[in-house]
Amino acid sequence: MKCRKCKKEIPDESKFCLHCGAKQNDPKRRKDGLLEKSITLNGKRKTFYAKTARELNKKIAEFAAEGEAGKTKTFSYYADLFEESFDSLEFNSVKVYRPALKRCVDHFGESPVGEISALEIKRFLDARCKKYASKTVNTHRSMISQVLDLAVLDGAIKSNPATFNYRNTGAKKVIRQAATEEQAETIRQYWNEDLFSWLGYFIMNTGLRKGEALALQYKDIKDKTITVAKSVYYIGSNPHIKEPKTSAGLRTVVLPDCVAEKMKEGKPRDYIFSSNGEILSDYSVQKGWRSFCERHGMGHFERDVTGSIYFLPDVTLHQLRHYYATKCYEAGIDKLTVQEMMGHTDYGTTEIYTHIREEAIEAARAKINSSP
């Protein structure tokens, strides 16, 4: 309640103001002789009645104690506990999870977990759908659910309100286009121009991700087959190697004859794409590929907010990976084999089809090598 004189907030049961010392009104005496007093606790207004002031104060004290006892810890408390588990996750996963968790904490942070409803969670996710793609919205829901799972384990709540059946509309997906045949022909013609044209040619004909290609060593290629077992990720522009936690992370990809005949000799542990034996930095890869595209007219110029003009490639290394998938489908290679070679399936799905791996890879090799 507010002081009757200085209007500052004071505890509801105060007889004197803690700020100015003014005496507050005594409880109201009703016509039936009962004392009446209303207070607000945890956002709820409640009125008490009693025959004596002592009885009235006792009822108010008991109600306040029950309110405090029933109040659960906040969402941010369990979010902090959940974030401690990030230390055991890979950098790329944390890079996705942490911003999503922060948005959830910004919204639900100081709310007691016992007061967070499924409807409130739905409204939060609906608001994210207007801005983010379905996958990102699902990441937000996963963060909320895992935080509230800790609250369930702690006994703060009996059930997790984030487990309701929710249909995620998400922002409209942007379809990533594959490189054009004209762009592919330019890369074929100038594949040996520099290290970055060679990288583009390699990805275009193997379907590897950029990070997988940069992590590739000569020992990973044997009998015209590539073993993909690791990839490069960047913190800033500095490269780091990430390896799969289990054997399910391994996959094999055909090394086409057109690529095999262009491969240079190297020591087993040498990186195929490196600068002085070191893994290329993210900045050097972006700059090198941008320069190659600019030299061959595969891009356009734009102006930024400061008025400066910069060149933007029309084809990315990732689009060359899509080009590879398109060519595989056009060559008649079955969908499951293409998914496995490109690493699109999750670990569980990949393991289901390991029994077809050797035969399917050999069939794919013949079709790839016979395709123009």
Side-chain angles (χ1 to χ4, degrees):
M1 68 181 190
K2 292 183 179 181
C3 171
R4 59 192 293 261
K5 182 178 181 181
C6 68
K7 306 303 181 183
K8 293 183 180 180
E9 289 289 340
I10 58 175
D12 287 318
E13 65 275 13
S14 298
K15 294 182 178 180
F16 297 91
C17 177
L18 301 176
H19 305 285
C20 67
K23 185 178 179 180
Q24 304 305 302
N25 288 333
D26 292 329
K28 178 182 178 182
R29 178 72 68 174
R30 291 157 47 98
K31 291 183 178 181
D32 59 5
L34 294 178
L35 293 174
E36 175 186 325
K37 188 172 184 179
S38 298
I39 68 169
T40 302
L41 186 64
N42 295 332
K44 296 180 179 180
R45 188 75 174 169
K46 185 173 179 62
T47 302
F48 297 87
Y49 307 94
K51 293 181 179 180
T52 64
R54 182 176 181 180
E55 182 185 357
L56 184 65
N57 290 333
K58 182 180 178 181
K59 286 185 176 182
I60 293 173
E62 289 176 347
F63 177 74
E66 289 175 2
E68 287 299 315
K71 193 173 182 179
T72 56
K73 295 173 184 174
T74 64
F75 183 90
S76 59
Y77 171 83
Y78 292 104
D80 289 341
L81 292 179
F82 173 59
E83 194 168 4
E84 291 177 5
S85 67
F86 285 4
D87 293 339
S88 62
L89 300 178
E90 296 175 354
F91 174 80
N92 285 350
S93 297
V94 175
K95 189 167 64 173
V96 174
Y97 294 162
R98 184 159 280 140
L101 180 61
K102 183 180 182 303
R103 295 185 197 104
C104 297
V105 172
D106 288 344
H107 185 86
F108 296 103
E110 298 310 310
S111 299
V113 291
E115 298 178 10
I116 298 176
S117 66
L119 180 59
E120 186 179 358
I121 295 171
K122 179 183 182 301
R123 287 172 175 165
F124 171 78
L125 295 174
D126 286 345
R128 306 285 84 71
C129 285
K130 297 176 181 178
K131 182 177 181 180
Y132 300 106
S134 295
K135 184 176 180 180
T136 305
V137 177
N138 287 335
T139 299
H140 286 78
R141 182 181 183 182
S142 175
M143 295 298 98
I144 297 171
S145 183
Q146 292 185 71
V147 168
L148 295 180
D149 276 343
L150 293 179
V152 173
L153 291 174
D154 193 36
I157 53 178
K158 293 182 179 180
S159 60
N160 187 340
T163 58
F164 61 94
N165 186 21
Y166 178 71
R167 185 174 181 180
N168 176 2
T169 54
K172 189 175 181 180
K173 291 184 178 180
V174 177
I175 299 175
R176 294 178 176 176
Q177 301 295 329
T180 65
E181 194 60 49
E182 182 180 359
Q183 292 164 342
E185 187 56 40
T186 298
I187 296 169
R188 292 190 191 100
Q189 185 177 351
Y190 298 101
W191 72 271
N192 199 28
E193 189 170 275
D194 58 22
L195 183 61
F196 306 101
S197 61
W198 169 226
L199 174 63
Y201 182 85
F202 189 92
I203 291 176
M204 185 177 74
N205 287 284
T206 61
L208 267 63
R209 298 177 177 89
K210 179 182 73 173
E212 294 168 344
L214 294 176
L216 208 59
Q217 296 170 287
Y218 284 95
K219 66 183 181 68
D220 298 322
I221 297 179
K222 185 178 181 181
D223 299 328
K224 294 186 179 181
T225 299
I226 304 170
T227 298
V228 181
K230 54 189 179 298
S231 65
V232 170
Y233 69 94
Y234 295 93
I235 300 179
S237 189
N238 299 319
H240 299 266
I241 292 291
K242 176 181 67 174
E243 298 184 359
K245 297 179 181 179
T246 68
S247 60
L250 302 174
R251 77 178 194 274
T252 53
V253 178
V254 170
L255 180 69
D257 291 342
C258 63
V259 178
E261 64 190 19
K262 295 177 176 63
M263 293 283 297
K264 298 178 180 179
E265 293 292 331
K267 296 179 181 179
R269 292 190 173 275
D270 286 349
Y271 292 101
I272 296 174
F273 304 97
S274 67
S275 176
N276 299 321
E278 299 293 329
I279 300 174
L280 296 171
S281 69
D282 190 36
Y283 173 77
S284 65
V285 174
Q286 291 185 38
K287 181 180 178 181
W289 181 250
R290 185 170 60 248
S291 297
F292 173 77
C293 291
E294 186 173 358
R295 289 194 300 271
H296 297 285
M298 296 192 299
H300 61 281
F301 289 93
E302 290 191 1
R303 191 184 300 273
D304 63 19
V305 293
T306 66
S308 300
I309 297 176
Y310 64 97
F311 180 82
L312 188 66
D314 287 337
V315 58
T316 66
L317 294 173
H318 193 77
Q319 285 176 302
L320 297 179
R321 174 172 152 83
H322 281 264
Y323 176 85
Y324 171 82
T326 301
K327 297 300 289 184
C328 284
Y329 287 129
E330 289 176 350
I333 301 171
D334 69 274
K335 183 177 179 180
L336 293 177
T337 303
V338 176
Q339 287 180 334
E340 182 179 344
M341 289 197 298
M342 294 195 67
H344 277 165
T345 55
D346 59 32
Y347 290 158
T349 305
T350 301
E351 287 177 328
I352 293 173
Y353 295 103
T354 52
H355 65 280
I356 67 167
R357 175 172 293 173
E358 292 184 7
E359 292 182 4
I361 292 296
E362 288 305 315
R365 182 196 309 283
K367 291 180 179 180
I368 287 175
N369 288 329
S370 64
S371 178

